[in-house]
Amino acid sequence: MVRSPCCDDGSLKKGPWTPDEDQKLVDYIKRHGHGSWRALPKLAGLNRCGKSCRLRWTNYLRPDIKRGKFSDEEERIIIKLHSVLGNKWSRIAVHLPGRTDNEIKNFWNTHVKKKFLQMGLDPNTHQPRADLNSLVNLSQLLATANFSNLTSPLEDALRLQTDATRLTKIQLLQNILQIINTGSTLSRNIEGASHQWSRNLTPTPLEGFVNGTSTLYTEDPMLAPAEFPNPGVTPGSHNDYQAISNSWACIDGGFGSEVHNFNNNCSSSSYDIRAEQPLPALVSVSPECSSVNQTESKMNLPCISTHSSTSNIFEAWGELMDDETSVSYWKDILGQY
DNA sequence: AAGTGCGGCAACCGCTCTCGC
DNA sequence: CGCGAGAGCGGTTGCCGCACT
């Protein structure tokens, strides 16, 4: 089925707006509000389609639009929000009063993205890029950078992200150890819905990590619903999310609201994590993501390899080990807890 | 001064979502 | 429930100005 575009009338003007057109649009909206965008151009005496008028108004003519360069703080917020929301520019724009989604998108594509790439990071996942060239670049950067004194918004955000990623990996390892200890799969009986998500507190995260009762991500009862309510949402993905959300919320209270909203929503039975698409995948995407769950795949949803089966967890583990087989790497992680 | 390349940004395109019938 | 119109959103394009040769 071919749908006719709303602006297929060849007589309608396209391209840059003239000051006269701007004035007409502003005058009309000031007097009458925009009402129906489709009807507006005729009523305002403009030879444009309604869509074009709406874009011009929301991206340029709106009186509350903030112009000029993005501040460091704004950049920091954008990076953090992007790590949580992905390319949801309109959602990000909500947190930056006076900035439009289009402006933020352009800023990301022309400035921030470039910085990510220069640092050898994938701007989509905020993770190190897999290709060799970028790894070489990254190692060079690491050799020259003093990471204990990071000051730029991007570096700040990236350091936090690294911490979050480590937490995710630890969670994955924890799941595997639990399987080994109990001989059961981690996969939750979704229909039964009685899985106790919050486990008993243990003296130290490391002990919990070793014996499979870690509460690394569930110490805050607000962030840890006793039961994970939503069929189709895997424990792994939830904990992955909490790892990040705790990380962000701890460090930046103001920004944590988005994350807390997510977690609160998560506690309601009607909430669908897939609708929010909270995070880019933090661990490698397993092959079955594309074949088994076509809906998720189609929606480009984060399909985390801690998916609800033992095999998936081990596959994810295998992928992780491919990435980081160094014993010292894991010693480094474990040594922190 | 003219030509060229590049970056930034406004605007467009097409898909998805929402809502009313 | 299905359909269509309108609105919103994200990706992409193309113009413009600036720097460099």
Side-chain angles (χ1 to χ4, degrees), chain A residues 17-33 37 40-48 53 56-57 61:
Chain A
W17 281 63
T18 65
D20 183 48
E21 286 176 313
D22 283 348
Q23 198 54 50
K24 279 182 180 174
L25 183 58
V26 170
D27 285 349
Y28 181 85
I29 291 176
K30 271 184 183 167
R31 269 186 275 127
H32 306 102
W37 284 111
L40 185 146
K42 242 182 190 174
L43 297 169
L46 290 161
N47 189 31
R48 296 265 183 181
C53 294
R56 183 63 178 170
W57 173 257
L61 298 173

Side-chain angles (χ1 to χ4, degrees), chain A residues 162-163 166-167 170 205-206 329-337:
Chain A
T162 304
D163 292 344
R166 282 183 171 174
L167 290 174
I170 289 169
L206 181 56
Y329 173 82
W330 290 102
K331 272 186 182 169
D332 178 42
I333 288 179
L334 296 173
Q336 293 177 30
Y337 301 101

Side-chain angles (χ1 to χ4, degrees), chain A residues 183-196:
Chain A
S184 66
T185 74
L186 234 205
S187 88
R188 193 170 52 88
N189 184 339
I190 290 167
E191 287 72 27
S194 60
H195 180 83
Q196 278 296 314

Side-chain angles (χ1 to χ4, degrees), chain A residues 189-204:
Chain A
N189 184 339
I190 290 167
E191 287 72 27
S194 60
H195 180 83
Q196 278 296 314
W197 199 237
S198 181
R199 305 187 193 95
N200 292 333
L201 286 173
T202 51
T204 69

